[in-house]
Amino acid sequence: WSYGSWGYYGYNGNIYCCSRSGSPYGPLFSTGDTIGCCLNFKNNTVFYTKNGINLGIAFRNLKGTLYPCVALWSKGQAIEVNFGSRKFKYAGNAE
């Protein structure tokens, strides 16, 4: 929710760009869902996937140095990340 950050929030399905004001984007997600984030460096866009389904472009015209991050909200939450060591679950065209 800070300047220079972009994200997809599972609690309400909104996307956030540098602000606490979100915009409707996709479905909610929770335990057992696989969320993918595809950054296309060719056209500076980002799309997310839920359980392998492309949810459409979320952000355009990203600039600057980018760092991946995940925010967890409650005690006891856990995630598993894949930064390329396993095949990306989305098998479609990365646009």
Side-chain angles (χ1 to χ4, degrees):
W1 292 345
S2 300
Y3 177 78
S5 67
W6 302 269
Y8 174 31
Y9 189 38
Y11 181 75
N12 61 14
N14 287 349
I15 53 173
Y16 293 83
C17 177
C18 308
S19 157
R20 290 188 176 269
S21 297
S23 301
Y25 174 68
L28 310 183
F29 58 89
S30 188
T31 303
D33 288 325
T34 299
I35 302 302
C37 178
C38 179
L39 171 56
N40 183 325
F41 288 102
K42 185 176 180 180
N43 62 14
N44 293 324
T45 60
V46 170
F47 71 84
Y48 293 91
T49 63
K50 178 181 175 187
N51 301 322
I53 309 273
N54 184 336
L55 302 178
I57 292 177
F59 304 108
R60 298 179 186 279
N61 302 317
L62 297 178
K63 295 181 176 135
T65 304
L66 303 174
Y67 301 94
C69 93
V70 175
L72 302 177
W73 192 257
S74 301
K75 184 177 179 179
Q77 287 182 319
I79 61 167
E80 180 181 336
V81 297
N82 174 14
F83 290 111
S85 62
R86 293 180 311 278
K87 186 176 177 182
F88 188 53
K89 188 167 184 172
Y90 175 65
N93 183 344
E95 302 180 11

